[in-house]
Protein backbone atom coordinates (compact mmCIF):
# COMPACT_ATOMS: atom_id res chain seq x y z
CA UNK A 1 0.00 0.00 0.00
CA UNK A 2 1.48 3.33 -1.00
CA UNK A 3 1.35 6.01 1.62
CA UNK A 4 2.28 8.84 -0.68
CA UNK A 5 1.14 9.68 -4.18
CA UNK A 6 2.72 11.79 -6.79
CA UNK A 7 1.59 15.35 -6.99
CA UNK A 8 0.57 15.03 -10.61
CA UNK A 9 -1.65 12.08 -9.91
CA UNK A 10 -5.22 13.29 -9.54
CA UNK A 11 -7.77 11.74 -7.26
CA UNK A 12 -10.83 10.32 -9.06
CA UNK A 13 -13.80 12.63 -8.81
CA UNK A 14 -17.02 11.19 -7.45
CA UNK A 15 -20.06 11.60 -9.66
CA UNK A 16 -22.63 13.97 -8.14
CA UNK A 17 -25.74 12.34 -6.86
CA UNK A 18 -29.03 14.04 -6.20
CA UNK A 19 -31.28 12.75 -3.50
CA UNK A 20 -34.89 13.74 -3.31
CA UNK A 21 -37.03 13.52 -0.22
CA UNK A 22 -40.60 12.45 -0.69
CA UNK A 23 -43.17 14.76 0.80
CA UNK A 24 -46.66 13.61 1.63
CA UNK A 25 -49.26 15.46 -0.39
CA UNK A 26 -52.98 15.23 -0.64
CA UNK A 27 -54.29 13.02 -3.41
CA UNK A 28 -55.47 14.96 -6.45
CA UNK A 29 -57.07 14.04 -9.74
CA UNK A 30 -54.27 13.69 -12.30
CA UNK A 31 -56.09 13.73 -15.61
CA UNK A 32 -54.12 13.07 -18.80
CA UNK A 33 -54.04 15.44 -21.76
CA UNK A 34 -55.85 12.97 -23.99
CA UNK A 35 -59.03 11.01 -23.42
CA UNK A 36 -58.12 7.72 -21.79
CA UNK A 37 -60.63 4.91 -21.24
CA UNK A 38 -60.77 5.49 -17.49
CA UNK A 39 -61.16 9.23 -18.07
CA UNK A 40 -64.13 8.60 -20.35
CA UNK A 41 -65.74 6.45 -17.67
CA UNK A 42 -64.98 9.11 -15.06
CA UNK A 43 -66.70 11.88 -17.00
CA UNK A 44 -69.65 9.65 -17.86
CA UNK A 45 -70.18 8.86 -14.18
CA UNK A 46 -69.69 12.52 -13.31
CA UNK A 47 -72.54 13.57 -15.59
CA UNK A 48 -74.66 10.73 -14.22
CA UNK A 49 -73.98 11.56 -10.55
CA UNK A 50 -74.31 15.38 -10.78
CA UNK A 51 -77.43 16.23 -12.81
CA UNK A 52 -76.59 19.94 -13.02
CA UNK A 53 -73.41 19.15 -15.01
CA UNK A 54 -75.33 17.01 -17.48
CA UNK A 55 -78.02 19.69 -17.77
CA UNK A 56 -75.40 22.38 -18.43
CA UNK A 57 -73.74 20.35 -21.20
CA UNK A 58 -77.07 19.65 -22.87
CA UNK A 59 -78.01 23.33 -22.53
CA UNK A 60 -74.79 24.36 -24.31
CA UNK A 61 -75.53 21.94 -27.16
CA UNK A 62 -79.04 23.35 -27.61
CA UNK A 63 -77.92 26.98 -27.33
CA UNK A 64 -75.28 26.44 -30.01
CA UNK A 65 -78.18 26.52 -32.43
CA UNK A 66 -78.93 25.19 -35.87
CA UNK A 67 -77.06 25.67 -39.12
CA UNK A 68 -77.26 25.24 -42.86
CA UNK A 69 -74.59 24.25 -45.35
CA UNK A 70 -74.29 26.67 -48.27
CA UNK A 71 -72.80 25.45 -51.53
CA UNK A 72 -70.68 27.77 -53.68
CA UNK A 73 -72.55 26.34 -56.70
CA UNK A 74 -76.26 27.10 -56.39
CA UNK A 75 -77.14 24.25 -58.75
CA UNK A 76 -76.23 21.72 -56.04
CA UNK A 77 -77.85 23.54 -53.11
CA UNK A 78 -81.07 21.52 -53.22
CA UNK A 79 -79.17 18.21 -53.28
CA UNK A 80 -76.99 19.39 -50.40
CA UNK A 81 -80.04 20.35 -48.31
CA UNK A 82 -81.60 16.96 -48.97
CA UNK A 83 -78.36 15.22 -47.93
CA UNK A 84 -78.17 17.21 -44.67
CA UNK A 85 -81.73 16.22 -43.82
CA UNK A 86 -81.68 12.52 -44.81
CA UNK A 87 -78.11 11.33 -44.12
CA UNK A 88 -78.09 8.36 -41.67
CA UNK A 89 -76.07 8.82 -38.49
CA UNK A 90 -75.06 5.60 -36.77
CA UNK A 91 -77.80 3.12 -36.00
CA UNK A 92 -80.41 5.47 -34.56
CA UNK A 93 -79.78 8.97 -35.85
CA UNK A 94 -80.60 10.85 -39.01
CA UNK A 95 -79.63 14.30 -40.37
CA UNK A 96 -76.43 16.27 -40.12
CA UNK A 97 -77.78 18.16 -37.10
CA UNK A 98 -77.98 14.89 -35.18
CA UNK A 99 -74.34 14.15 -36.01
CA UNK A 100 -73.29 17.66 -34.95
CA UNK A 101 -75.09 17.37 -31.59
CA UNK A 102 -73.44 14.05 -30.75
CA UNK A 103 -70.09 15.31 -32.01
CA UNK A 104 -70.31 18.43 -29.83
CA UNK A 105 -71.42 16.34 -26.83
CA UNK A 106 -68.27 14.23 -27.11
CA UNK A 107 -66.17 17.33 -27.67
CA UNK A 108 -67.39 18.99 -24.47
CA UNK A 109 -67.32 15.87 -22.31
CA UNK A 110 -64.03 14.29 -23.35
CA UNK A 111 -62.15 17.23 -24.87
CA UNK A 112 -62.06 15.64 -28.33
CA UNK A 113 -64.49 14.11 -30.78
CA UNK A 114 -64.06 11.78 -33.73
CA UNK A 115 -66.37 10.74 -36.54
CA UNK A 116 -66.21 8.96 -39.86
CA UNK A 117 -67.65 9.43 -43.32
CA UNK A 118 -68.89 6.00 -44.41
CA UNK A 119 -68.52 5.43 -48.17
CA UNK A 120 -70.50 2.95 -50.26
CA UNK A 121 -67.76 1.22 -52.27
CA UNK A 122 -70.13 0.11 -55.03
CA UNK A 123 -71.74 3.47 -55.79
CA UNK A 124 -68.88 5.60 -54.43
CA UNK A 125 -71.35 7.69 -52.48
CA UNK A 126 -71.67 8.69 -48.86
CA UNK A 127 -73.89 6.11 -47.21
CA UNK A 128 -73.87 7.71 -43.75
CA UNK A 129 -71.95 9.25 -40.86
CA UNK A 130 -70.64 7.60 -37.72
CA UNK A 131 -69.74 9.02 -34.31
CA UNK A 132 -66.69 7.25 -32.93
CA UNK A 133 -65.11 6.75 -29.53
CA UNK A 134 -62.45 9.40 -28.92
CA UNK A 135 -60.80 7.39 -26.13
CA UNK A 136 -60.15 4.47 -28.50
CA UNK A 137 -58.63 6.63 -31.25
CA UNK A 138 -54.87 7.20 -31.37
CA UNK A 139 -53.50 10.05 -33.52
CA UNK A 140 -49.95 10.22 -34.85
CA UNK A 141 -48.12 12.22 -37.50
CA UNK A 142 -47.52 10.79 -40.95
CA UNK A 143 -44.91 11.70 -43.58
CA UNK A 144 -45.02 15.34 -42.45
CA UNK A 145 -45.97 16.91 -39.13
CA UNK A 146 -49.36 18.04 -40.45
CA UNK A 147 -50.42 14.69 -41.87
CA UNK A 148 -52.58 12.73 -39.46
CA UNK A 149 -52.55 8.99 -39.08
CA UNK A 150 -55.32 7.32 -37.10
CA UNK A 151 -55.35 3.97 -35.32
CA UNK A 152 -58.00 2.18 -33.28
CA UNK A 153 -57.07 0.73 -29.91
CA UNK A 154 -58.42 -2.81 -29.66
CA UNK A 155 -59.54 -4.59 -26.49
CA UNK A 156 -56.26 -6.53 -26.23
CA UNK A 157 -54.19 -3.32 -26.37
CA UNK A 158 -53.08 -3.63 -29.99
CA UNK A 159 -53.47 -0.82 -32.51
CA UNK A 160 -55.31 -1.24 -35.79
CA UNK A 161 -54.38 1.32 -38.42
CA UNK A 162 -57.17 3.12 -40.22
CA UNK A 163 -56.87 2.52 -43.96
CA UNK A 164 -58.63 5.72 -45.04
CA UNK A 165 -57.61 8.56 -42.70
CA UNK A 166 -59.11 11.09 -45.13
CA UNK A 167 -62.56 9.90 -44.06
CA UNK A 168 -61.97 10.56 -40.37
CA UNK A 169 -63.44 13.70 -38.79
CA UNK A 170 -61.63 15.00 -35.72
CA UNK A 171 -61.78 18.08 -33.49
CA UNK A 172 -60.58 18.95 -30.01
CA UNK A 173 -60.88 21.74 -27.49
CA UNK A 174 -57.93 23.96 -26.66
CA UNK A 175 -55.19 21.67 -25.39
CA UNK A 176 -57.42 18.63 -25.82
CA UNK A 177 -58.77 19.08 -22.29
CA UNK A 178 -62.34 18.26 -21.39
CA UNK A 179 -64.73 21.00 -20.37
CA UNK A 180 -65.30 18.97 -17.18
CA UNK A 181 -61.63 18.98 -16.26
CA UNK A 182 -61.25 19.95 -12.60
CA UNK A 183 -64.85 19.17 -11.68
CA UNK A 184 -64.40 15.64 -10.22
CA UNK A 185 -62.78 17.01 -7.04
CA UNK A 186 -65.50 19.61 -6.46
CA UNK A 187 -68.23 17.16 -7.39
CA UNK A 188 -66.82 14.64 -4.91
CA UNK A 189 -67.17 17.19 -2.10
CA UNK A 190 -70.68 18.06 -3.28
CA UNK A 191 -71.70 14.40 -3.28
CA UNK A 192 -70.34 13.94 0.25
CA UNK A 193 -72.44 16.89 1.44
CA UNK A 194 -75.56 15.41 -0.14
CA UNK A 195 -74.73 12.02 1.35
CA UNK A 196 -74.40 13.57 4.80
CA UNK A 197 -77.71 15.36 4.33
CA UNK A 198 -79.36 12.04 3.53
CA UNK A 199 -77.78 10.36 6.55
CA UNK A 200 -78.84 13.20 8.84
CA UNK A 201 -82.41 12.95 7.61
CA UNK A 202 -82.31 9.20 8.18
CA UNK A 203 -81.20 9.81 11.75
CA UNK A 204 -83.12 12.95 12.74
CA UNK A 205 -85.55 13.53 9.90
CA UNK A 206 -87.25 10.16 10.25
CA UNK A 207 -89.10 10.88 13.49
CA UNK A 208 -88.75 8.26 16.21
CA UNK A 209 -90.36 8.36 19.62
CA UNK A 210 -89.18 7.43 23.09
CA UNK A 211 -92.12 6.26 25.24
CA UNK A 212 -91.18 6.09 28.91
CA UNK A 213 -93.45 4.54 31.53
CA UNK A 214 -92.75 5.51 35.15
CA UNK A 215 -94.46 3.39 37.86
CA UNK A 216 -95.78 5.46 40.75
CA UNK A 217 -96.34 2.96 43.61
CA UNK A 218 -95.54 -0.60 44.60
CA UNK A 219 -98.58 -1.91 42.75
CA UNK A 220 -97.37 -0.41 39.52
CA UNK A 221 -93.90 -1.86 40.07
CA UNK A 222 -95.33 -5.35 40.31
CA UNK A 223 -96.94 -5.14 36.87
CA UNK A 224 -94.51 -2.68 35.23
CA UNK A 225 -93.25 -5.22 32.68
CA UNK A 226 -96.73 -6.25 31.55
CA UNK A 227 -97.90 -2.62 31.29
CA UNK A 228 -94.78 -1.60 29.37
CA UNK A 229 -95.36 -4.41 26.86
CA UNK A 230 -99.02 -3.42 26.53
CA UNK A 231 -98.06 0.23 25.93
CA UNK A 232 -95.55 -0.89 23.30
CA UNK A 233 -98.16 -2.97 21.46
CA UNK A 234 -100.75 -0.20 21.47
CA UNK A 235 -98.20 2.40 20.39
CA UNK A 236 -96.96 0.22 17.50
CA UNK A 237 -100.55 -0.44 16.42
CA UNK A 238 -101.31 3.28 16.40
CA UNK A 239 -98.22 4.07 14.32
CA UNK A 240 -98.91 1.28 11.80
CA UNK A 241 -102.54 2.34 11.41
CA UNK A 242 -101.38 5.77 10.20
CA UNK A 243 -99.94 4.14 7.06
CA UNK A 244 -103.45 3.23 5.95
CA UNK A 245 -105.01 6.58 6.79
CA UNK A 246 -106.52 5.50 10.10
CA UNK A 247 -105.73 7.77 13.03
CA UNK A 248 -105.73 6.23 16.51
CA UNK A 249 -105.22 8.15 19.72
CA UNK A 250 -102.98 6.73 22.42
CA UNK A 251 -104.51 6.71 25.91
CA UNK A 252 -102.55 5.51 28.91
CA UNK A 253 -103.08 5.56 32.67
CA UNK A 254 -100.19 6.62 34.86
CA UNK A 255 -97.03 8.60 34.28
CA UNK A 256 -96.18 8.10 30.60
CA UNK A 257 -93.67 10.42 28.93
CA UNK A 258 -93.49 10.63 25.11
CA UNK A 259 -90.65 12.50 23.41
CA UNK A 260 -89.17 12.71 19.91
CA UNK A 261 -85.66 11.34 19.64
CA UNK A 262 -83.28 13.95 18.26
CA UNK A 263 -85.79 16.80 18.33
CA UNK A 264 -83.31 19.11 20.07
CA UNK A 265 -80.66 18.63 17.38
CA UNK A 266 -80.75 20.89 14.33
CA UNK A 267 -79.56 19.92 10.87
CA UNK A 268 -76.56 21.77 9.49
CA UNK A 269 -77.27 24.61 7.06
CA UNK A 270 -75.63 23.50 3.82
CA UNK A 271 -76.79 26.39 1.64
CA UNK A 272 -73.46 28.24 1.81
CA UNK A 273 -71.06 25.36 0.98
CA UNK A 274 -73.38 23.94 -1.69
CA UNK A 275 -73.72 27.33 -3.35
CA UNK A 276 -69.95 27.87 -3.29
CA UNK A 277 -69.39 24.54 -5.01
CA UNK A 278 -72.16 25.24 -7.51
CA UNK A 279 -70.59 28.60 -8.35
CA UNK A 280 -67.26 26.90 -9.09
CA UNK A 281 -68.95 24.32 -11.29
CA UNK A 282 -71.03 26.84 -13.22
CA UNK A 283 -68.05 29.15 -13.70
CA UNK A 284 -66.30 26.26 -15.43
CA UNK A 285 -69.32 25.53 -17.62
CA UNK A 286 -70.05 29.23 -18.36
CA UNK A 287 -73.81 28.86 -17.94
CA UNK A 288 -75.89 31.50 -16.10
CA UNK A 289 -77.44 29.97 -12.96
CA UNK A 290 -81.05 30.85 -13.75
CA UNK A 291 -80.89 28.87 -17.01
CA UNK A 292 -80.50 25.76 -14.84
CA UNK A 293 -83.27 26.66 -12.41
CA UNK A 294 -81.06 28.28 -9.74
CA UNK A 295 -82.50 31.53 -8.38
CA UNK A 296 -79.54 33.25 -6.77
CA UNK A 297 -80.51 36.83 -7.51
CA UNK A 298 -83.61 38.94 -7.11
CA UNK A 299 -84.08 39.32 -10.89
CA UNK A 300 -84.31 36.20 -13.02
CA UNK A 301 -83.08 37.67 -16.29
CA UNK A 302 -79.80 37.75 -18.11
CA UNK A 303 -77.81 40.96 -18.24
CA UNK A 304 -76.28 42.20 -21.47
CA UNK A 305 -72.79 41.37 -20.18
CA UNK A 306 -73.78 37.77 -19.41
CA UNK A 307 -75.40 37.46 -22.82
CA UNK A 308 -72.25 38.70 -24.57
CA UNK A 309 -70.04 36.30 -22.61
CA UNK A 310 -72.29 33.33 -23.30
CA UNK A 311 -72.53 34.30 -26.97
CA UNK A 312 -68.73 34.32 -27.26
CA UNK A 313 -68.61 30.86 -25.66
CA UNK A 314 -71.14 29.49 -28.14
CA UNK A 315 -69.32 31.07 -31.07
CA UNK A 316 -66.13 29.38 -29.92
CA UNK A 317 -67.80 25.96 -30.11
CA UNK A 318 -69.19 26.86 -33.51
CA UNK A 319 -65.69 27.65 -34.76
CA UNK A 320 -64.52 24.22 -33.65
CA UNK A 321 -67.15 22.17 -35.47
CA UNK A 322 -67.58 24.39 -38.54
CA UNK A 323 -64.53 22.88 -40.36
CA UNK A 324 -65.89 19.39 -39.69
CA UNK A 325 -69.29 20.27 -41.15
CA UNK A 326 -67.67 21.92 -44.17
CA UNK A 327 -65.56 18.82 -44.72
CA UNK A 328 -68.67 16.64 -44.75
CA UNK A 329 -70.50 18.93 -47.17
CA UNK A 330 -67.52 19.22 -49.50
CA UNK A 331 -67.09 15.44 -49.48
CA UNK A 332 -70.71 14.99 -50.52
CA UNK A 333 -70.42 17.54 -53.34
CA UNK A 334 -67.27 15.80 -54.54
CA UNK A 335 -69.10 12.45 -54.54
CA UNK A 336 -71.82 13.83 -56.85
CA UNK A 337 -69.24 15.23 -59.27
CA UNK A 338 -69.08 18.85 -58.18
CA UNK A 339 -65.99 20.91 -57.41
CA UNK A 340 -67.94 23.34 -55.25
CA UNK A 341 -67.05 24.01 -51.62
CA UNK A 342 -69.27 24.48 -48.58
CA UNK A 343 -69.64 27.11 -45.92
CA UNK A 344 -71.67 26.95 -42.71
CA UNK A 345 -74.42 29.48 -42.10
CA UNK A 346 -75.35 29.46 -38.42
CA UNK A 347 -78.59 30.70 -36.94
CA UNK A 348 -78.42 33.94 -35.03
CA UNK A 349 -77.85 33.61 -31.29
CA UNK A 350 -80.63 35.63 -29.68
CA UNK A 351 -80.14 35.76 -25.90
CA UNK A 352 -81.45 39.26 -25.28
CA UNK A 353 -84.88 40.83 -25.14
CA UNK A 354 -86.47 41.99 -28.36
CA UNK A 355 -86.96 45.43 -26.82
CA UNK A 356 -83.23 45.85 -26.20
CA UNK A 357 -82.43 44.67 -29.72
CA UNK A 358 -84.93 47.12 -31.20
CA UNK A 359 -83.45 49.99 -29.16
CA UNK A 360 -79.95 49.02 -30.27
CA UNK A 361 -81.00 49.00 -33.95
CA UNK A 362 -82.69 52.38 -33.50
CA UNK A 363 -79.59 53.94 -31.95
CA UNK A 364 -77.38 52.48 -34.68
CA UNK A 365 -79.68 53.91 -37.34
CA UNK A 366 -79.67 57.33 -35.65
CA UNK A 367 -75.89 57.27 -35.38
CA UNK A 368 -75.56 56.34 -39.07
CA UNK A 369 -77.91 59.16 -40.02
CA UNK A 370 -75.95 61.72 -37.99
CA UNK A 371 -72.64 60.53 -39.49
CA UNK A 372 -74.07 60.78 -43.03
CA UNK A 373 -75.33 64.28 -42.29
CA UNK A 374 -71.92 65.40 -41.00
CA UNK A 375 -70.21 63.98 -44.06
CA UNK A 376 -72.62 65.90 -46.34
CA UNK A 377 -71.89 69.15 -44.50
CA UNK A 378 -68.13 68.60 -44.90
CA UNK A 379 -68.52 68.01 -48.63
Amino acid sequence: MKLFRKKNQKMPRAAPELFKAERATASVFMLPTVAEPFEKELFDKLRYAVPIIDAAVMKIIRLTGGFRLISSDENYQEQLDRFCTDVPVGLKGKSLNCFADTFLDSLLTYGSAVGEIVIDNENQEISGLWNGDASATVISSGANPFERQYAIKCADGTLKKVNHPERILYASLTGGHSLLRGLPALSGILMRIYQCIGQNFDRAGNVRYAVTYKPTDSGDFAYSKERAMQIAREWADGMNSARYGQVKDFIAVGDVDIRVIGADNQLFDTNVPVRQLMEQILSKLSIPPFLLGLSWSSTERMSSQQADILTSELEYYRRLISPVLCEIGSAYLCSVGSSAVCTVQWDNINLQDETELAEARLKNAQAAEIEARLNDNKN
Side-chain angles (χ1 to χ4, degrees):
M1 181 177 180
K2 296 182 179 181
L3 300 178
F4 301 96
R5 297 180 182 270
K6 294 182 180 181
K7 293 183 179 181
N8 57 358
Q9 186 176 1
K10 297 181 179 180
M11 296 291 292
R13 298 180 63 184
E17 296 182 358
L18 298 178
F19 299 93
K20 60 181 181 179
E22 298 291 340
R23 183 174 60 179
T25 56
S27 60
V28 295
F29 288 87
M30 301 298 293
L31 298 181
T33 57
V34 295
E36 297 290 343
F38 72 89
E39 185 183 5
K40 180 179 183 297
E41 184 180 359
L42 171 64
F43 290 143
D44 288 338
K45 291 184 177 180
L46 184 63
R47 291 183 59 175
Y48 177 79
V50 187
I52 194 170
I53 296 179
D54 183 71
V57 173
M58 298 304 298
K59 189 73 69 176
I60 292 175
I61 295 174
R62 296 188 182 98
L63 290 176
T64 304
F67 60 89
R68 184 189 180 196
L69 294 184
I70 304 299
S71 174
S72 59
D73 190 349
E74 296 181 357
N75 297 326
Y76 293 91
Q77 185 62 47
E78 185 177 354
Q79 298 182 27
L80 183 60
D81 293 339
R82 191 181 306 111
F83 166 77
C84 295
T85 304
D86 300 335
V87 59
V89 179
L91 298 177
K92 301 179 180 179
K94 189 176 182 180
S95 78
L96 188 58
N97 288 278
C98 178
F99 173 83
D101 292 344
T102 308
F103 194 86
L104 183 57
D105 185 275
S106 176
L107 188 65
L108 298 175
T109 305
Y110 313 121
S112 59
V114 63
E116 182 182 1
I117 301 176
V118 183
I119 303 296
D120 187 358
N121 295 326
E122 295 181 359
N123 301 325
Q124 293 299 318
E125 295 179 354
I126 298 178
S127 59
L129 303 174
W130 193 271
N131 292 103
D133 186 2
S135 62
T137 306
V138 180
I139 305 175
S140 60
S141 59
N144 57 75
F146 300 102
E147 181 183 353
R148 294 178 182 176
Q149 296 292 334
Y150 299 93
I152 305 300
K153 187 182 299 182
C154 301
D156 56 356
T158 59
L159 297 179
K160 180 181 178 182
K161 185 178 180 180
V162 177
N163 297 327
H164 298 281
E166 68 278 0
R167 302 177 184 176
I168 301 300
L169 307 169
Y170 181 81
S172 64
L173 296 178
T174 303
H177 302 306
S178 169
L179 183 65
L180 309 183
R181 190 186 187 212
L183 296 186
L186 296 175
S187 300
I189 300 174
L190 185 64
M191 290 296 100
R192 286 201 295 272
I193 293 177
Y194 285 143
Q195 184 180 5
C196 292
I197 293 176
Q199 292 176 350
N200 290 333
F201 269 96
D202 290 339
R203 295 170 181 171
N206 188 6
V207 180
R208 288 161 294 185
Y209 299 92
V211 182
T212 305
Y213 168 63
K214 300 177 181 179
T216 57
D217 52 17
S218 59
D220 291 340
F221 277 106
Y223 301 98
S224 60
K225 181 178 180 181
E226 289 79 1
R227 292 184 178 179
M229 295 178 63
Q230 183 181 5
I231 292 174
R233 288 193 303 268
E234 295 298 330
W235 181 263
D237 181 66
M239 292 294 102
N240 292 330
S241 299
R243 298 180 180 179
Y244 305 99
Q246 184 179 4
V247 179
K248 291 185 177 181
D249 296 328
F250 180 75
I251 301 174
V253 178
D255 190 0
V256 178
D257 184 20
I258 302 175
R259 293 185 179 182
V260 177
I261 299 176
D264 297 334
N265 297 328
Q266 295 182 356
L267 298 178
F268 290 102
D269 186 9
T270 58
N271 290 326
V272 174
V274 168
R275 177 168 176 174
Q276 290 178 349
L277 294 173
M278 287 290 188
E279 289 175 349
Q280 294 289 329
I281 293 175
L282 295 182
S283 65
K284 180 69 174 178
L285 300 175
S286 302
I287 292 293
F290 81 93
L291 289 180
L292 301 174
L294 301 176
S295 300
W296 288 348
S297 60
S298 57
T299 58
E300 296 184 0
R301 56 180 299 179
M302 185 185 301
S303 63
S304 59
Q305 293 81 5
Q306 288 178 326
D308 293 339
I309 294 174
L310 183 56
T311 302
S312 64
E313 291 286 335
L314 300 177
E315 290 178 348
Y316 166 67
Y317 299 136
R318 287 181 171 185
R319 292 197 303 268
L320 291 178
I321 63 176
S322 290
V324 176
L325 301 176
C326 291
E327 186 175 355
I328 296 174
S330 300
Y332 171 75
L333 294 177
C334 182
S335 65
V336 296
S338 174
S339 59
V341 295
C342 287
T343 57
V344 183
Q345 182 181 1
W346 291 92
D347 297 339
N348 293 328
I349 301 177
N350 186 8
L351 299 177
Q352 297 180 353
D353 295 337
E354 292 294 335
T355 304
E356 295 180 359
L357 294 177
E359 292 178 355
R361 289 195 297 268
L362 176 61
K363 292 180 180 179
N364 291 333
Q366 292 175 350
E369 183 182 0
I370 294 173
E371 291 177 356
R373 192 180 307 164
L374 293 177
N375 293 331
D376 294 338
N377 294 333
K378 290 181 180 179
N379 296 331

